[in-house]
Amino acid sequence: MPTIEQLQSLLATDPHDSFLLYGLAMELARQNRLPESLDTFSKLREAHPTYIPAWFMGARTLEQAGETEAAKALYQEGIALANRTGDTHAASEMSAALAMLE
């Protein structure tokens, strides 16, 4: 598993690489560096608005940070996006996660 420093170094050459941004956001969350993780998920959604995992895991990270209302909103946006793009599996998973919060 690459370190945060390795991922950041790779991103220096390609700052909009979706795989690297996602990996960095996930590793930051794993290390409980939640504000940095959330910022990275936000950058990923801005650069790749249809990258569904950024919505799903971004909402999960908001949950982890105790930001339940923000997580609900992000799940709802992600569900709508997943439905628009035909990703019914992701929509279903996010719907289940949202239902757990309500």
Side-chain angles (χ1 to χ4, degrees), residues 63-97:
E63 279 186 69
Q64 190 178 349
E67 297 184 36
T68 305
E69 293 306 312
K72 288 179 184 179
L74 197 57
Y75 278 132
Q76 291 167 342
E77 291 173 31
I79 291 164
L81 174 63
N83 283 326
R84 280 194 311 273
T85 61
D87 191 341
T88 56
H89 180 74
S92 174
E93 286 186 336
M94 285 188 277
S95 293

Side-chain angles (χ1 to χ4, degrees), residues 8-50:
Q8 289 171 329
S9 176
L10 292 167
L11 278 166
T13 61
D14 189 0
H16 298 294
D17 183 291
S18 59
F19 181 74
L20 294 174
L21 284 167
Y22 182 77
L24 177 60
M26 293 298 292
E27 183 60 20
L28 288 164
R30 189 183 74 73
Q31 293 187 19
N32 208 35
R33 293 169 61 177
L34 302 182
E36 294 168 274
S37 175
L38 290 167
D39 182 56
T40 305
F41 276 124
S42 180
K43 289 176 185 172
L44 176 55
R45 288 190 306 273
E46 288 173 19
H48 302 278
T50 59

